[in-house]
Amino acid sequence: MKTVSVLGCGWFGMPLARRLVADGHTVLGSTTDPAKLPEICKTGARPFTVRIEPERPPGAGEFFRSGVAVVNFPPERRDDIAPRLAGQTETLIRALEAGGAEFVIFISSTSVYADLGRVVTEDDFLEGTPSKQSGIALRAMEQTLATADFDLTVLRFAGLIGYDRDPRRFLKKRAAANRPDAPVNLIHRDDCVEITARIIKDDIRGETFNAVCDGHPLRSEFYRREAEAAGTEAPAFEKAGNWKIISGEKLKKALNYRYQKGPV
């Protein structure tokens, strides 16, 4: 059993902390919002308030004194996202190294890949330019973390679904959508938690994996099917766009993993 720090106990980090406690690990969980500390306590994890800012110590030094750290740190939506995330990454690395972290699992995103109009694998990391600024910033963060003095495994999650992130809510909010012929790349939260817990249990270090469920129906087909299930009208699709299909074969083979939920 290990001591695991989960940086970012939110939509994904909270159930992950709960699962790791159930697996017998000692878990330290962080949030930037002190009001969420009691919720972290309910998972069985020890709660900490941690805020990662450029050129400023994050505090809560004890939180970083663990052998394993799960860094669940999505970029903020702001104009200066790239330089800000770069500064936050340097702060984070200093805190992790000072705490003696040996193994870091970084939760990244498949937005680091460019829309290449084909199936993309982990080997396509640096080909082309990501379509979103968040993808560009995350690509740089991955590269910087790889230079630090700890073992690193990167998990690139596809679009997150499950529980309150129900595609049917999108249907209620949007009358129209783009890219009808683009394949969907999605993963359910339950699979995210299971995969991360498995990597910690099996101590899988120095790897990079795409995490995306099987099946990549076209957006028009996927949302039509979801609309029928919800008894509502599907959105109208306005224009085409670039696309990619994320391959999850490497993870499935390495972990002998079968996805629990998601499109087929």
Side-chain angles (χ1 to χ4, degrees):
M1 296 301 103
K2 303 174 175 70
T3 298
V4 184
S5 294
V6 179
L7 179 68
C9 285
W11 184 82
F12 162 69
M14 198 76 74
L16 175 64
R18 186 179 300 110
R19 165 60 186 274
L20 295 177
V21 169
D23 285 348
H25 301 297
T26 298
V27 181
L28 315 179
S30 84
T31 177
T32 59
D33 183 0
K36 292 183 179 179
L37 294 175
E39 190 175 354
I40 295 176
C41 284
K42 290 179 183 178
T43 69
R46 292 182 58 196
F48 294 84
T49 301
V50 177
R51 189 177 298 276
I52 307 296
E53 299 285 352
E55 300 180 357
R56 184 185 306 172
E62 187 177 356
F63 171 80
F64 292 97
R65 290 196 286 273
S66 61
V68 181
V70 179
V71 175
N72 176 40
F73 193 60
E76 302 166 83
R77 294 182 180 179
R78 47 192 295 164
D79 292 339
D80 63 343
I81 180 175
R84 177 169 172 77
L85 190 61
Q88 290 173 305
T89 304
E90 294 294 344
T91 296
L92 177 61
I93 288 174
R94 286 193 294 270
L96 289 167
E97 290 180 340
E102 298 177 1
F103 179 27
V104 173
I105 300 170
F106 177 52
I107 306 302
S108 186
S109 165
T110 55
S111 65
V112 299
Y113 296 110
D115 291 327
L116 299 176
R118 59 174 173 79
V119 175
V120 298
T121 72
E122 291 81 356
D123 292 336
D124 294 308
F125 178 51
L126 295 179
E127 184 167 348
T129 302
S131 60
K132 296 181 179 179
Q133 288 300 310
S134 59
I136 295 172
L138 278 172
R139 182 187 279 189
M141 187 173 182
E142 285 191 28
Q143 292 172 304
T144 303
L145 286 169
T147 67
D149 191 22
F150 44 70
D151 294 329
L152 178 69
T153 285
V154 176
L155 279 177
R156 296 175 182 147
F157 288 164
L160 300 170
I161 58 172
Y163 304 98
D164 60 326
R165 297 193 181 187
D166 188 333
R168 297 169 196 177
R169 294 181 65 187
F170 171 89
L171 297 172
K172 294 178 181 178
K173 295 179 180 179
R174 297 283 297 275
N178 295 329
R179 301 189 301 155
D181 296 328
V184 298
N185 298 285
L186 301 172
I187 184 170
H188 195 280
R189 189 178 75 181
D190 289 351
D191 283 304
C192 295
V193 169
E194 179 64 30
I195 289 167
T196 308
R198 184 86 63 86
I199 285 174
I200 292 171
K201 176 179 178 293
D202 294 344
D203 202 38
I204 300 175
R205 307 189 183 198
E207 291 286 357
T208 298
F209 296 115
N210 297 332
V212 55
C213 67
D214 295 323
H216 303 271
L218 301 182
R219 284 168 58 85
S220 55
E221 173 190 340
F222 175 73
Y223 283 110
R224 177 189 55 77
R225 188 174 67 192
E226 292 295 318
E228 289 177 355
T232 188
E233 187 175 348
F237 282 87
E238 296 181 329
K239 61 182 180 180
N242 297 326
W243 57 275
K244 56 183 174 281
I245 292 177
I246 304 297
S247 170
E249 291 303 308
K250 179 182 176 182
L251 183 146
K252 289 169 63 177
K253 291 177 182 177
L255 275 65
N256 191 26
Y257 190 76
R258 295 183 64 183
Y259 285 90
Q260 303 172 29
K261 299 179 180 179
V264 293

